[in-house]
Amino acid sequence: MKIIRYFYKSIYAFFYVRLGSDKYTSEAASISILAILLLLFILILINVVFITSFSFNFLKEANQWVIFISIFILYLVIRFFLIKVIKN
């Protein structure tokens, strides 16, 4: 959790101090960037686990809508988790 807060503060400082964005824009951008990075990490991890364990390439074999909906739901879950972690 400390690592997530550290990355959040670093990205927030970049947007707030360097680019001169306002507080709310910097906060939203920081959370979105962290959520996307965590989403990519989780998708890569899921794909590697499926390939090695089940010989099933999830991202290659699944339907496009299933992939889209699962990525969207996973993004929302990660985003709300990050908001909860950062606010506490």
Side-chain angles (χ1 to χ4, degrees), residues 14-77:
F14 174 76
F15 281 103
Y16 191 67
V17 175
R18 291 247 184 160
L19 296 180
S21 298
D22 63 347
K23 179 181 174 183
Y24 300 109
T25 304
S26 301
E27 183 178 323
S30 302
I31 291 173
S32 294
I33 289 173
L34 276 177
I36 290 171
L37 290 175
L38 284 173
L39 179 71
L40 288 174
F41 177 74
I42 289 171
L43 285 176
I44 290 170
L45 189 65
I46 287 172
N47 203 29
V48 166
V49 167
F50 271 108
I51 289 172
T52 57
S53 299
F54 305 113
S55 297
F56 179 71
N57 191 348
F58 175 73
L59 295 177
K60 192 183 235 183
E61 302 293 330
N63 188 358
Q64 291 177 356
W65 285 104
V66 173
I67 294 173
F68 174 74
I69 291 171
S70 62
I71 288 173
F72 184 71
I73 290 172
L74 190 59
Y75 173 78
L76 290 177
V77 168

